[in-house]
Amino acid sequence: MRMNRNGRIAAAAVLMAAGLVGATASTGAASAGSQRAGTYTAARAAQAGENMEYGGGPVQLHPKVYLVFWGSQWKSDTNGIPAYLTKVFNGLGTSSDNWSTITSQYTDSSGQGPTFSGAVLGGVWMDNAKAEPTNPSANAVANEGNRGASHFGVSGNGDAQIVVLSAHGTHPDGWPSSGFCAYHDYSGSVSYTNMPYQLDAPAGSRCPNNLLGNKLSAFSIVEGHEYAESITDPQAGNGWVAPNGEEIGDQCEANFQNVTLSTGTFPMQPIWSNNANGCVIHN
């Protein structure tokens, strides 16, 4: 979720549930492995955050999200994650969504910004013919992203996001020991997200399970973070990035709130708005 200058996403996602009061969290999150590591509170993040700067690369003008549930392990999973994320992305992009539209201010070199005219969900693929490896490498995750892009026919489509959702019991790119909750990157043909099985995060992890009374909160908060950053910086480094190396989700990993969409209510995080010079939860 945090981005090094080489474009590789390499640090922790968000906060622990400790300090959560009502519908917000005020405890800070420590970064791990980012270019500028540090610990900050929610108030400090809002005050010390830097506006995004445009690096000249692409922006997703009509984003579409494709969910790839990797591995036969998903056949026996009973936590309802595919249905949950399907509802999230069938609600994002619709007229009920004033959260995604925060990204519309971040334009490309033509002066156009992202627009939303309907659900951003492009498709769901249960890639479960065989098991996901227990310890897939970063390259294996990227390759699965390319497989997903080929399956959906969106290889080379700059507006496509492939979300590779790993199964219970797996450790993609060393997760959870490698210091991230999820990350997005670019395979050379498609923007993709490495989304580990958040419910496997160990006790004390900063991956935000069970926040706001929702067992699956990490899946909407963490994937929402990566979705927004993939819109504004799909090639992970040459889109909209702050001088401190952070993207629009990184500076706002606090004050989680329930966002109501046409398909339900889901915990989400604020994202950075240059227009507001701070973190906002709606446009």
Side-chain angles (χ1 to χ4, degrees):
M1 300 176 86
R2 293 188 188 280
M3 189 187 67
N4 288 332
R5 280 300 187 188
N6 65 5
R8 188 74 169 84
I9 309 303
V14 275
L15 310 176
M16 294 183 292
L20 186 66
V21 179
T24 64
S26 57
T27 307
S31 65
S34 60
Q35 185 183 17
R36 291 180 60 181
T39 302
Y40 56 90
T41 66
R44 179 183 170 194
Q47 294 168 3
E50 298 181 282
N51 275 343
M52 301 293 119
E53 296 180 350
Y54 181 48
V59 170
Q60 293 190 332
L61 301 181
H62 307 285
K64 281 291 182 181
V65 177
Y66 300 86
L67 304 176
V68 177
F69 291 88
W70 186 16
S72 57
Q73 297 96 320
W74 283 103
K75 293 179 181 179
S76 58
D77 193 88
T78 60
N79 285 308
I81 297 158
Y84 181 77
L85 283 176
T86 295
K87 287 182 179 180
V88 170
F89 286 106
N90 270 332
L92 291 173
T94 67
S95 59
S96 65
D97 173 20
N98 59 9
W99 183 82
S100 294
T101 52
I102 300 167
T103 66
S104 295
Q105 65 191 274
Y106 297 105
T107 58
D108 65 10
S109 57
S110 72
Q112 295 180 290
T115 60
F116 303 89
S117 58
V120 298
L121 184 66
V124 178
W125 181 31
M126 305 301 293
D127 184 15
N128 56 19
K130 60 182 180 179
E132 176 184 350
T134 301
N135 297 290
S137 66
N139 284 340
V141 176
N143 288 339
E144 181 66 8
N146 286 334
R147 274 173 48 81
S150 178
H151 173 83
F152 290 112
V154 296
S155 298
N157 184 334
D159 284 333
Q161 299 183 23
I162 303 295
V163 183
V164 178
L165 290 122
S166 285
H168 168 58
T170 62
H171 308 280
D173 196 11
W175 184 86
S177 301
S178 46
F180 61 83
C181 288
Y183 62 73
H184 74 98
D185 211 332
Y186 184 63
S187 72
S189 64
V190 72
S191 177
Y192 73 95
T193 293
N194 176 5
M195 184 68 175
Y197 194 86
Q198 300 295 306
L199 295 179
D200 286 349
S205 168
R206 288 170 293 183
C207 304
N209 288 319
N210 298 302
L211 289 184
L212 307 181
N214 189 321
K215 175 183 177 181
L216 301 182
S217 56
F219 285 92
S220 52
I221 293 172
V222 175
E223 175 46 36
H225 175 125
E226 302 304 336
Y227 156 73
E229 291 183 342
S230 297
I231 292 173
T232 55
D233 189 28
Q235 293 188 0
N238 62 7
W240 288 90
V241 182
N244 62 12
E246 296 185 326
E247 297 171 295
I248 64 171
D250 295 327
Q251 301 192 140
C252 304
E253 295 172 350
N255 297 323
F256 307 122
Q257 300 176 41
N258 281 318
V259 171
T260 298
L261 305 171
S262 59
T263 53
T265 298
F266 307 97
M268 303 290 277
Q269 71 157 82
I271 51 180
W272 186 268
S273 167
N274 278 5
N275 290 344
N277 193 32
C279 300
V280 299
I281 196 69
H282 58 76
N283 197 29

